[in-house]
Amino acid sequence: PSKMASLVFPDNFQHILRVMNTNVEGQRKIMFALTAIKGVGRRYANLCCKKADVDHNKRAGELTDDEVKKVVTIMQNPRQYKIPDWFLNRQKDIKDGKYSQLLSNNLDNCWREDFERLKKIRAHRGIRHYWGVRVN
């Protein structure tokens, strides 16, 4: 018989975590599991895990509730944890001029508002979005 490593789940293992209105797979390593959240890429997930002192080799389902809360807090307030401005996905916001990281529903809302604003001022990009054709 072939010797294949099997994943033995600890007692408190969660197969699916609910993080920021997103289902996160518990079997995946924490860094890659966080990329299921809209607005979180591999590099941002990696940085948040490092700031939260979470072991990269852990699976998402093995994390304690405190560790999950800490990672979520860092993801929502990146500037308080010294994540540089150039790393964030919303720089110099058009309304308030702030730098922030938009995640899940907030990202969709801001995109929609941006497109509506572009349509309202009849910008080339806004018109192309309105027509439903390719926008460069």
Side-chain angles (χ1 to χ4, degrees), residues 20-129:
M20 300 178 74
N21 296 330
T22 308
N23 291 336
V24 174
E25 289 182 51
Q27 294 92 343
R28 297 178 76 187
K29 297 239 172 136
I30 181 61
M31 187 180 116
F32 297 102
L34 289 175
T35 60
I37 300 169
K38 201 165 186 179
V40 178
R42 290 191 304 253
R43 291 190 65 205
Y44 190 67
N46 184 15
L47 188 61
C48 290
C49 289
K50 282 181 181 174
K51 295 279 185 186
D53 294 325
V54 174
D55 183 18
H56 289 304
N57 295 322
K58 270 191 175 181
R59 305 274 170 182
E62 296 173 356
L63 294 181
T64 63
D65 288 341
D66 292 337
E67 288 175 323
V68 172
K69 284 179 186 171
K70 192 170 184 184
V71 169
V72 169
T73 306
I74 291 171
M75 285 175 18
Q76 288 176 332
N77 308 310
R79 296 185 79 196
Q80 292 175 6
Y81 293 90
K82 296 194 171 91
I83 292 177
D85 287 341
W86 56 264
F87 215 98
L88 306 179
N89 66 6
R90 184 72 170 183
Q91 299 178 8
K92 287 190 243 175
D93 189 16
I94 198 87
K95 289 181 184 168
D96 53 13
K98 291 184 180 175
Y99 292 79
S100 61
Q101 180 78 10
L102 298 177
L103 304 166
S104 64
N105 297 342
N106 294 341
L107 183 62
D108 293 331
N109 292 339
C110 278
W111 275 356
R112 189 172 21 79
E113 289 170 11
D114 288 345
F115 297 146
E116 292 300 322
R117 181 180 54 81
L118 289 169
K119 289 175 197 173
K120 186 177 174 186
I121 64 173
R122 306 293 288 164
H124 178 74
R125 276 179 57 202
I127 294 168
R128 305 265 313 172
H129 276 293

